[in-house]
Amino acid sequence: MGRAQGSWPDRPIRIIVPYPPGGSNDTVARILQPKLTELLGRPVVVENRAGASGSVGSSETARAAPDGYTWLLANDTLATNETLMQLPYRVMQAFSFCTLVGTCPYALVTHPSTPFQNFGQMVEAARARPQTLNYATTGVGSGAHIATVLLQQRGDFRLEHVPYRGGGPALQDALAGHVPLFMSNIVIILPHIRAGALRPLGLTQKTDSRYLPGVVPFTRQGFPDFEALTYWLLVGPAGIPAPIVSRMQQAVKQVLAEANVQARMAEQGADIVGSTPAETEAFVRAEIEKWGAVIRDNNIRADS
C-alpha cells in the first residue's frame, strides 16, 4: 500500500462532472484540468455523468475504487440530495473530502422580452397570477431551487418551477426566452448579463457583488439576512489514503494560486477558497444540516 501511495499518480486521473457540458461545474473543472495535468504529471480527464440532480455522477464516484484516480467536482446538490432523495449512500460516509474550490451567489434573471425591469415588478405579477410565471433551475432540490422557494415563502408569491438537467440546457432556454425567469449561480450567466442578453433582478448574497456592480442583493429588497451561495468542491470515494487526498488538495490549491486561473475564476464570478480536507468535511456536514431543514420545512420532494 505504501508503494502504491508513493507512486501516485502513475496513470490518468478522472474528474467526474455530474452535469452536462456548459454548466458551472463543467466550467470550473475545465479551468482546473490543464494545470492539474501539468502539476501531477499525468492526464486529468473531465467526464460528464449527468442525471438526477447530480446523483448519477455522485453515485458513480461513491462506487469507484478508493485509489485516487476518480474524483467528483460536486456542488450544492451533494448536500441537498441527502435529504431530498433516496440515495444508495450517505454523503458523510461515502466520500473522501478534498477541498472546497470556490463559491458564488445566485442571481435571478429574466429575458429582456419580459416587462420586468426589477424584482418588485416580477413579484407584483406573480401575486396577481400565482404559479403562472415559470422559473428555471438546474434541478429539483438544487441550491437555486431552494433559494427561490425561500424567496417565495418570505415574499408571499408563487412561481412555477421548471427543473432542468443542468445549467447548460437551462441557460439555452433562458437565452431563447422559452422560460421567463432563471435562478442560477452567476458563473454561467455573468457574460450574458454583461451583454444584456439577460436582465438581473437580484442577488442571493448579503452584500454587493464586485462582479455585478449595481445588481441589488435581496437583502436590500425586503429580505434581511437572505443568503444562499453555491459552491464547487472536490471529493473522492471513501477510503482514499490520506496522503493522496492531501497531495490532491495541495495540487488544487497550487492551481488556484496561479494568476491566470484566478483571473479565469474571477471572469466567471467565482470566489476562490481552497480549504483543507478537514475544513471541507465540516463545511459539507453543516450544509447538509442547513439545507436539510429547509427541504423538510417546505416539503420539497424530488417530484416537486
Side-chain angles (χ1 to χ4, degrees):
M1 178 64 73
R3 290 180 61 188
Q5 292 178 34
S7 63
W8 184 90
D10 61 7
R11 55 189 170 90
I13 297 165
R14 64 172 179 159
I15 296 179
I16 292 176
V17 170
Y19 293 99
S24 67
N25 288 56
D26 189 68
T27 298
V28 172
R30 293 180 193 280
I31 290 174
L32 299 177
Q33 176 189 25
K35 289 295 182 179
L36 282 176
T37 294
E38 182 180 322
L39 275 176
L40 295 172
R42 299 292 177 181
V44 174
V45 181
V46 175
E47 296 183 6
N48 297 88
R49 294 287 187 268
S53 294
S55 65
V56 170
S58 299
S59 295
E60 182 174 340
T61 305
R63 292 192 302 267
D67 53 14
Y69 293 98
T70 299
W71 301 88
L72 173 75
L73 191 72
N75 66 352
D76 45 77
T77 61
L78 187 73
T80 58
N81 285 347
E82 179 84 348
T83 306
L84 185 76
M85 297 181 173
Q86 295 294 323
L87 298 171
Y89 59 83
R90 304 297 291 175
V91 170
M92 300 311 298
Q93 288 75 47
F95 296 104
S96 299
F97 300 94
C98 184
T99 189
L100 180 63
V101 175
T103 67
C104 86
Y106 300 98
L108 180 65
V109 297
T110 187
H111 191 268
S113 64
T114 72
F116 312 131
Q117 299 298 313
N118 55 56
F119 180 65
Q121 291 177 355
M122 187 278 295
V123 170
E124 288 179 8
R127 286 174 178 165
R129 300 181 62 191
Q131 292 184 288
T132 58
L133 271 178
N134 293 338
Y135 73 97
T137 74
T138 55
V140 173
S142 64
H145 177 206
I146 297 174
T148 313
V149 167
L150 283 177
L151 277 178
Q152 293 173 83
Q153 184 184 55
R154 294 186 183 181
D156 191 28
F157 63 93
R158 292 294 178 267
L159 305 172
E160 185 67 23
H161 185 212
V162 182
Y164 284 75
R165 292 181 64 247
L171 175 64
Q172 290 175 12
D173 274 9
L175 289 171
H178 297 321
V179 60
L181 300 168
F182 181 27
M183 179 71 93
S184 169
N185 63 62
I186 66 175
V187 168
I188 63 170
I189 58 175
L190 186 60
H192 306 289
I193 292 174
R194 289 173 172 168
L198 294 170
R199 181 184 301 135
L201 302 178
L203 279 173
T204 65
Q205 66 182 42
K206 292 183 178 180
T207 59
D208 291 356
S209 170
R210 61 190 173 117
Y211 301 116
L212 288 171
V215 179
V216 184
F218 292 116
T219 53
R220 299 210 310 272
Q221 299 196 62
F223 300 83
D225 298 322
F226 187 92
E227 183 175 50
L229 301 178
T230 192
Y231 47 87
W232 307 274
L233 70 158
L234 195 68
V235 302
I240 297 176
I244 293 178
V245 175
S246 178
R247 186 171 176 194
M248 188 65 163
Q249 187 269 338
Q250 288 298 318
V252 173
K253 187 174 182 179
Q254 189 171 340
V255 169
L256 292 174
E258 297 203 8
N260 62 333
V261 171
Q262 291 186 347
R264 291 189 65 191
M265 292 288 281
E267 286 173 2
Q268 305 299 325
D271 293 313
I272 289 171
V273 180
S275 59
T276 66
E279 290 168 341
T280 306
E281 182 174 357
F283 175 85
V284 174
R285 190 183 305 276
E287 286 290 296
I288 289 173
E289 294 175 1
K290 172 183 176 181
W291 293 115
V294 174
I295 291 167
R296 289 187 295 270
D297 290 348
N298 290 277
N299 194 31
I300 299 173
R301 304 181 309 276
D303 60 351
S304 59

